[in-house]
């Protein structure tokens, strides 16, 4: 149930293993003209996502239409820039179009003889005993029932499949909203399709309690997202007129404003989206139903890991099917036991990174710390990988990455009082401190946390 | 919506203020023969509940059919007893029949010309914009729509009203289950209707990871509840045969077993109930809808405060209506702002008391600490009220009680290493310590925590 990014990718994995798959999707086929874009326009693909796409052979095809972003570019209120690389050398996260990626996955699914696509089919309910899915054709209003052997709920943060499971006894569930919403805006392409800001970067306007970001598109434009409080002095509620919006952007985002000619129209036409974290357990009902992606672990977007985590679900499930064959009961049970702690850690990481992006990246001490960490990583390969790199450029389970990152943060808190500038890194006293910390860490194996 | 304890009491408060009230209830009228008892059989009424009942003039009537319980009686595995008074002198919590109390409240509602009762009406949904309630007559299956001015959701932990609110944007919600279930069992009355255990007490069989409790009935019997893991070595899953149940009770509850002649039948006939904590916010939708009682804050039963907290909701709402008249928007907003922190604190307290009842009350050091606290309270009236007394015998807001209790616990942790027996309390060194701690506390006003 659900032909979004995770559902369509999962269908390819299941078909690859010889299974017959029918995908039901509430919305119209997004490849057809006139279909409405539901969610954010750009996504940041990173290593976990790539691995999952490569597993069905489409990594290269997607990479050709993605734009690598090698660093964060921070814009301060005077338009001054500062920079933070994401990783080493050529490491990058990739700006890709959500709709474009979904279209590619649906095209592949459609070409596969084992996969059937059924759009405009709303899930009304599930009979978990009889293994029946109750559907409504949204075009005719007709209701019908279809049997299933295994049902995969890949129908997103507001999953109808999860809704049915929530009515079973002892289903733990929470949905928790930030007091912030988001609005999507546009920085236009320059003359001749030039990118008016550095193309291969993710741009951030950190403002303490809120922020704006921008990701590049292939046509020279950038998609901006303003993450902003619903209420308060600086908030969506406080910006009610075009003049207020204009004055606010002039003061707060002065270097972006000239690049946003449609700002005042877009601001009042585009909706405010809400930011939810969904946690639940169990994810499986016997050997009949399994939730994946946002349906079981919707997170806020600040680590760029929502899609990557959902795609990694497909990788993990595929590995378990490789190992246990069609023993669905074992596969579903192991999947949820293994994956739930990682989903919980990723939810925490995403909330943590909101503070980093809106506030800490504007602090020179924070940027200095990141430079020092990068030097430690270069000097001690295999002993130090930054938290960001573990999450973004590795396949270390999220829970382990988060534990490692917290331990590293403790080390940096002890180290940074001795460092006032980048050059201090080379001082013998600092080098000794680092050596001792790493020796200490060696004695505590990384997976212990 | 909902004619349970909170809904029927609330209708009396609203009618008392001159409002016309119609109560819709999904179930049949529980006063009619053959209706099924849904939930636990006994409840423990304490001061918050009494105040709410007195506000509609039925405190005395209910007190006449309640059984005061002055202390906890702990039964160890050898049948040895120990004791812990609940409060000072005549302070008691009262064992009352849930069904009996609900019947009395419904009789009063029915006699009130401003209140209409409608049973067998299931809430299918709510149109929050049009102020319409969609109902289904469960006897005929016919659906109909009724308009409302204000809708009060008093339909319990699995509230349909809350279900409708959960589908609005930015509704925070969680349901969280313990890995424990409960099963109700019976200790029979002795010959001639005698109580086979001390009548005016709440009996506890604390066993570390689980426990059984018993509350007295008017007919000489006791209702027992076994709180027990679903899975594991000692669990519902492990007791599959009558012989296993018999052997388990012989070993673990040897003094109770001879008083439970129907144990083996009851154990397999009575269902296992689950134990959920529900948290949500907001509780109000504009000036149209308000959730009260378990619908907004279902808690586990270990502090005996579920009904008392729901009844206190009625007291608090009534005070706000007294102050703001029919400015529903202000009343609903202030109600949820004031009451939410208290509901959250009570949920924590209820989970905390599970550990106390199943484990700590079996520890002589814990009982000694409670005796010492009682001596401090007697010596310094107005400066020390035990956490249990604050929750049970006062109207101090739950959040404040919980903060006070945590501060007191810190004091006791510093004090108890100096105390090996009750008599040590009188030692000059101990007296000085206590005086200093209380002087320190005086300088930190109690509401600070």
């Amino acid at each position: 149930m659900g032909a979004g990014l995770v559902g369509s990718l999962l269908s390819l994995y299941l078909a690859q293993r010889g299974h017959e798959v029918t995908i039901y999707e509430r919305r119209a086929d997004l490849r057809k003209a006139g279909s409405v874009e539901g969610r954010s326009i750009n996504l940041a693909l990173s290593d976990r996502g790539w691995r999952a796409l490569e597993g069905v052979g489409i990594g290269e095809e997607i990479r050709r239409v993605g734009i690598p972003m090698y660093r964060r570019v921070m814009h301060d209120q005077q338009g001054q820039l500062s920079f933070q690389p994401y990783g080493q050398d050529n490491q990058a996260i990739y700006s890709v179009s959500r709709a474009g990626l979904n279209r590619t996955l649906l095209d592949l699914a459609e070409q596969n003889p084992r996969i059937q696509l059924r759009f405009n089919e709303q899930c009304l309910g599930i009979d978990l005993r009889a293994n029946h899915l109750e559907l409504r054709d949204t075009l005719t209003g007709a209701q019908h029932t279809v049997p299933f052997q295994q049902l995969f709920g890949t129908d997103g943060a507001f999953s109808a499949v999860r809704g049915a499971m929530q009515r079973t006894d002892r289903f733990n569930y929470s949905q928790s909203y930030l007091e912030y919403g988001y609005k999507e805006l546009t920085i236009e392409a320059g003359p001749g399709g030039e990118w008016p800001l550095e193309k291969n970067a993710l741009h951030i306007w950190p403002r303490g309690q809120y922020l704006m970001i921008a990701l590049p598109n292939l046509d020279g434009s950038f998609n901006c997202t303003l993450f902003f409080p619903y209420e308060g002095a600086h908030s969506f509620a406080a910006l009610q007129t075009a003049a207020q919006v204009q004055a606010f952007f002039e003061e707060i985002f002065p270097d972006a404003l000239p690049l946003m000619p449609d700002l005042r129209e877009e601001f009042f036409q585009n909706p405010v989206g809400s930011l939810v974290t969904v946690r639940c357990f169990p994810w499986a009902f016997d050997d009949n139903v399994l939730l994946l992606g946002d349906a079981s672990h919707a997170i806020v977007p600040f680590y760029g890991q929502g899609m990557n985590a959902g795609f990694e679900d497909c990788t993990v499930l595929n590995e378990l099917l490789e190992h246990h064959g069609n023993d669905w009961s074992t596969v579903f049970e192991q999947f949820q036991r293994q994956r739930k702690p990682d989903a919980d850690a990723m939810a925490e990481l995403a909330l943590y990174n909101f503070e980093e992006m809106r506030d800490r990246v504007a602090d020179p001490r924070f940027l200095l710390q990141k430079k020092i960490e990068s030097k430690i990583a270069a000097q001690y390969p295999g002993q130090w990988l930054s938290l960001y790199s573990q999450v973004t450029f590795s396949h270390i389970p999220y829970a382990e990455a988060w534990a490692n990152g917290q331990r590293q943060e403790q080390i940096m808190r002890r180290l940074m009082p001795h460092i006032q500038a980048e050059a201090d890194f080379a001082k013998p006293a600092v080098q000794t401190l680092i050596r001792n910390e790493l020796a200490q860490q060696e004695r505590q194996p990384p997976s212990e946390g």
Side-chain angles (χ1 to χ4, degrees), chain A residues 93-342:
Chain A
I93 59 176
Y94 285 73
S95 174
V96 296
S97 148
R98 172 192 287 271
L101 179 54
N102 209 342
R103 279 192 204 102
T104 304
L105 290 166
L106 288 173
D107 285 344
L108 277 173
E110 193 153 64
Q111 290 155 23
N112 192 311
R114 293 208 181 93
I115 301 174
Q116 309 301 317
L117 294 172
R118 301 275 183 271
F119 293 97
N120 307 300
E121 294 277 11
Q122 181 184 9
C123 174
L124 296 178
I126 299 159
D127 186 330
L128 288 166
R129 304 289 162 195
N131 281 16
H132 280 165
L133 190 58
E134 294 156 46
L135 296 166
R136 192 178 80 94
D137 182 322
T138 60
L139 303 179
T140 66
Q143 296 186 17
H144 59 120
T145 298
V146 297
F148 60 81
Q149 292 197 319
Q150 274 74 39
L151 171 65
F152 297 91
T154 54
D155 49 347
F158 303 99
S159 169
V161 175
R162 188 188 64 225
M165 286 174 68
Q166 198 182 320
R167 284 186 286 277
T168 62
D169 195 22
R170 292 206 283 149
F171 187 77
N172 293 294
Y173 175 72
S174 83
Q175 58 185 42
S176 168
Y177 286 86
L178 293 185
E179 300 287 313
Y180 290 77
Y182 70 90
K183 190 181 284 282
E184 300 208 311
L185 302 165
T186 308
I187 284 179
E188 290 220 340
E194 284 299 300
W195 286 269
L197 300 173
E198 179 177 323
K199 173 190 174 187
N200 291 111
L202 190 150
H203 295 264
I204 308 184
W205 288 259
R207 294 296 182 266
Q209 284 308 300
Y210 52 92
L211 81 155
M212 186 166 73
I213 63 169
L215 278 77
N217 297 318
L218 288 171
D219 68 358
S221 67
F222 285 80
N223 284 120
C224 301
T225 311
L226 174 65
F227 296 98
F228 206 39
Y230 279 99
E231 309 283 342
H234 282 182
S235 71
F236 286 118
L239 298 183
Q240 290 296 333
T241 67
Q244 286 169 335
V245 170
Q246 177 79 19
F248 175 74
F249 272 72
E250 267 171 16
E251 184 192 342
I252 306 295
F253 306 119
D255 64 336
L257 179 61
L259 312 176
M260 306 172 82
D262 297 332
L263 170 67
R264 285 173 302 179
E265 290 71 36
E266 284 191 324
F267 196 90
F268 294 102
Q269 276 165 16
N270 294 353
V272 177
S274 55
L275 296 161
V276 71
T277 302
V278 170
R279 297 177 181 90
C280 67
F281 202 80
W283 294 351
F285 187 85
D286 295 340
D287 62 349
N288 306 125
V289 183
L290 183 68
L291 303 174
L292 297 99
D294 284 0
S296 50
H297 51 70
I299 60 179
V300 294
F302 304 105
Y303 226 115
Q305 285 295 312
M307 169 188 58
N308 289 289
F311 280 4
E312 195 174 55
D313 284 352
C314 297
T315 306
V316 170
L317 185 69
N318 189 53
E319 282 167 0
L320 288 168
L321 288 169
E322 183 69 33
H323 196 254
H324 299 286
N326 293 348
D327 178 356
W328 296 102
S329 181
T330 299
V331 168
F332 286 8
E333 180 60 21
Q334 293 214 2
F335 180 82
Q336 66 178 358
R337 292 285 158 201
Q338 171 182 340
R339 196 72 181 139
K340 169 68 172 163
D342 291 325

